Amino acid sequence: MTNAPENYEAWVLPDGVEKVSYVPDTKIENCGVFRLEREDHTLANLLRMQLIRDPDVLFVGYKHPHPLDHHIELRVQTSTNTRAGKYMPPEAVRVALMDLSAEISRLAELARRSRPS
């Protein structure tokens, strides 16, 4: 017998748990924390790097609180002075995810084209 958790707990989302949740920061304007369930450094670092490219994102960082906790906490702060008005962290993350999806699609297409027939 061992005290180790079951392997599936690292990627199977438990019943009643949302994949992504957001809590606005009460002390810092335009800031909040996203909790990404059953994710690790792979997605968190990709998302962090994509958000850093956004000129209206002032701060982005993430942490993996404990090796046995299977979630990532992503903190995002956006600028209050944008051309388009108020730009909140959920919108910044949504844009970053769409941009990442488009970039991955482009890479997959380039890989398909470069395969020898």
Side-chain angles (χ1 to χ4, degrees):
M1 286 201 112
T2 177
N3 287 335
E6 296 292 334
N7 288 341
Y8 70 87
E9 290 181 11
W11 64 84
V12 176
L13 195 63
D15 291 337
V17 176
E18 291 187 30
K19 181 71 175 173
V20 178
S21 60
Y22 174 70
V23 177
D25 193 311
T26 58
K27 297 178 182 176
I28 302 172
E29 189 176 5
N30 282 21
C31 186
V33 176
F34 294 86
R35 182 180 168 119
L36 308 172
E37 285 293 337
R38 302 308 188 248
E39 293 298 342
D40 59 15
H41 295 284
T42 305
L43 178 65
N45 198 41
L46 272 171
L47 196 49
R48 181 185 68 85
M49 291 303 294
Q50 189 66 35
L51 283 161
I52 286 172
R53 294 177 182 175
D54 187 335
D56 291 321
V57 172
L58 300 177
F59 173 82
V60 61
Y62 75 89
K63 67 180 179 178
H64 187 166
H66 189 275
L68 296 178
D69 289 339
H70 304 295
H71 70 274
I72 293 291
E73 294 174 6
L74 179 77
R75 178 175 294 275
V76 179
Q77 181 182 8
T78 56
S79 174
T80 57
N81 302 324
T82 64
R83 294 180 306 235
K86 208 156 180 131
Y87 187 57
M88 300 300 288
E91 178 68 14
V93 170
R94 187 184 67 74
V95 169
L97 287 169
M98 288 181 358
D99 290 347
L100 272 175
S101 178
E103 192 169 329
I104 289 169
S105 295
R106 281 192 303 274
L107 288 172
E109 182 60 32
L110 286 172
R112 277 192 291 274
R113 287 185 199 167
S114 66
R115 279 191 215 142
S117 302

